[in-house]
């Protein structure tokens, strides 16, 4: 039985455990708080990855019959008794094989680095792709961009071609490539994600309590700091 009587866990929830597991715990108990910055990020994602909806049969035909396809699709995998569900921002298919996971992260700062939770999320999507047989050790591509709706046209125009170009090149990994409106981080599949997943699942399987990861930077902007017993002080 999973914590909170859940029937499945999402990749984004597992990733949040590597930012602050106790924050995730409180969000489930008290309810998720949507901040204005989150809403802007959702709008940007929806616009950048806007595409045509197709059913499973049509999707498979498109992937099989086109040399390059970039698509958003649900990934559902059972790991032991736990069902994990995730929808990556996009997956790059080349000749019918998933070659890269693409994740867009928007922020008003911290564009010069990839955080552990961001890396874990992308690596988990790649792990699920492996499990589903859609590809073998796809690359991880994380796009960091300003949280500004004004950059959407540039992102839609540039991201896809940039990813295809660099995935097809013999770039040394990990790689960091700066563009005018975004920075692209490319890395290989990391098999240590399996150990990280086991650690995360121990919480959901109620083998341990939620762990706090307090820091002044995290706690000062946390929506649950008023009720959190672990908050860090400046």
């Amino acid at each position: 039985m999973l914590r909170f009587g859940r029937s499945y866990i999402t990749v984004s929830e597992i990733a949040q455990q590597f930012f602050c597991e106790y924050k995730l715990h409180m969000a489930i108990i008290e309810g998720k708080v949507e901040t204005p910055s989150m809403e802007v990020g959702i709008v940007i994602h929806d616009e950048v990855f806007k595409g045509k909806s197709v059913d499973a049969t049509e999707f498979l035909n498109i992937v099989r019959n086109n040399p390059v396809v970039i698509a958003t699709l649900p990934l559902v995998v059972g790991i032991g008794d736990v069902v994990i569900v995730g929808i990556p921002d996009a997956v790059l298919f080349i000749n019918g094989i998933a070659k890269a996971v693409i994740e867009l992260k928007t922020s008003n700062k911290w564009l010069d680095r990839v955080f552990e939770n961001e890396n874990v999320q992308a690596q988990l999507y790649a792990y699920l792709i492996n499990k589903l047989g859609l590809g073998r050790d796809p690359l991880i591509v994380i796009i960091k961009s300003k949280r500004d709706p004004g950059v959407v046209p540039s992102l839609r125009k540039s991201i896809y071609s940039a990813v295809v170009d660099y995935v097809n090149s013999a770039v040394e990994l990990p790689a960091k490539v700066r563009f005018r409106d975004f920075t692209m981080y490319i890395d290989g599949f990391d098999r240590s994600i399996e150990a990280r997943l086991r650690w995360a699942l121990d919480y959901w399987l109620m083998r341990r309590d939620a762990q706090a990861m307090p820091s002044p930077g995290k706690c000062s902007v946390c929506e649950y700091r008023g009720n959190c017993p672990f908050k860090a002080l400046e």
Side-chain angles (χ1 to χ4, degrees):
M1 178 182 293
L2 295 179
R3 192 181 292 271
F4 305 115
R6 296 283 295 274
S7 58
Y8 66 90
I9 307 166
T10 67
V11 169
S12 61
E13 287 172 324
I14 295 172
Q16 289 173 51
Q17 291 178 251
F18 290 84
F19 179 79
C20 180
E21 191 173 64
Y22 198 79
K23 177 179 179 177
L24 170 68
H25 184 77
M26 294 190 71
I28 295 172
I29 293 174
E30 298 188 6
K32 185 175 180 180
V33 178
E34 292 284 354
T35 65
S37 61
M38 290 179 187
E39 293 174 358
V40 172
I42 292 171
V43 169
I44 294 173
H45 274 77
D46 289 346
E47 288 299 313
V48 171
F49 297 103
K50 182 168 55 178
K52 174 186 175 183
S53 295
V54 298
D55 60 28
T57 300
E58 188 176 358
F59 168 76
L60 290 174
N61 287 333
I62 291 171
V63 169
R64 289 168 180 165
N65 297 316
N66 291 274
V68 177
V69 175
I70 296 178
T72 299
L73 68 156
L75 307 173
V76 182
V77 173
I79 307 294
D81 296 327
V82 181
V83 176
I84 300 176
V85 178
I87 304 178
D89 286 335
V91 178
L92 169 64
F93 291 86
I94 297 178
N95 297 323
I97 299 173
K99 291 292 186 178
V101 172
I102 306 169
E103 279 292 293
L104 172 63
K105 300 299 179 183
T106 62
S107 177
N108 291 324
K109 56 182 180 179
W110 307 118
L111 300 178
D112 60 341
R113 62 176 293 188
V114 172
F115 291 97
E116 182 181 17
N117 59 301
E118 296 171 337
N119 181 63
V120 165
Q121 184 171 6
Q123 291 285 352
L124 273 174
Y125 288 135
Y127 177 75
L128 297 186
I129 285 172
N130 280 348
K131 287 290 187 181
L132 290 168
L134 298 174
R136 182 175 181 181
D137 299 350
L139 297 178
I140 305 303
V141 180
I142 298 177
I143 307 293
K144 302 292 292 273
S145 175
K146 292 180 181 179
R147 190 171 288 149
D148 177 6
V151 304
V152 167
S154 174
L155 293 178
R156 281 187 60 84
K157 180 180 179 181
S158 304
I159 283 179
Y160 301 140
S161 59
V163 171
V164 172
D165 287 345
Y166 277 89
V167 168
N168 280 328
S169 67
V171 62
E172 183 178 351
L173 301 176
K176 177 180 178 180
V177 187
R178 295 183 185 276
F179 296 84
R180 189 186 70 178
D181 292 318
F182 63 92
T183 301
M184 181 168 65
Y185 298 83
I186 311 170
D187 205 352
F189 177 66
D190 183 356
R191 296 196 178 280
S192 70
I193 192 63
E194 295 183 1
R196 293 179 173 186
L197 178 59
R198 287 194 295 271
W199 175 85
L201 292 184
D202 280 346
Y203 162 76
W204 293 100
L205 293 167
M206 295 183 285
R207 294 170 180 164
R208 60 173 177 79
D209 294 332
Q211 296 184 15
M213 303 170 188
S215 74
K218 292 179 184 179
C219 297
S220 64
V221 296
C222 180
E223 303 90 328
Y224 308 97
R225 61 186 178 275
N227 296 326
C228 180
F230 300 106
K231 55 182 177 290
L233 301 177
E234 293 286 354

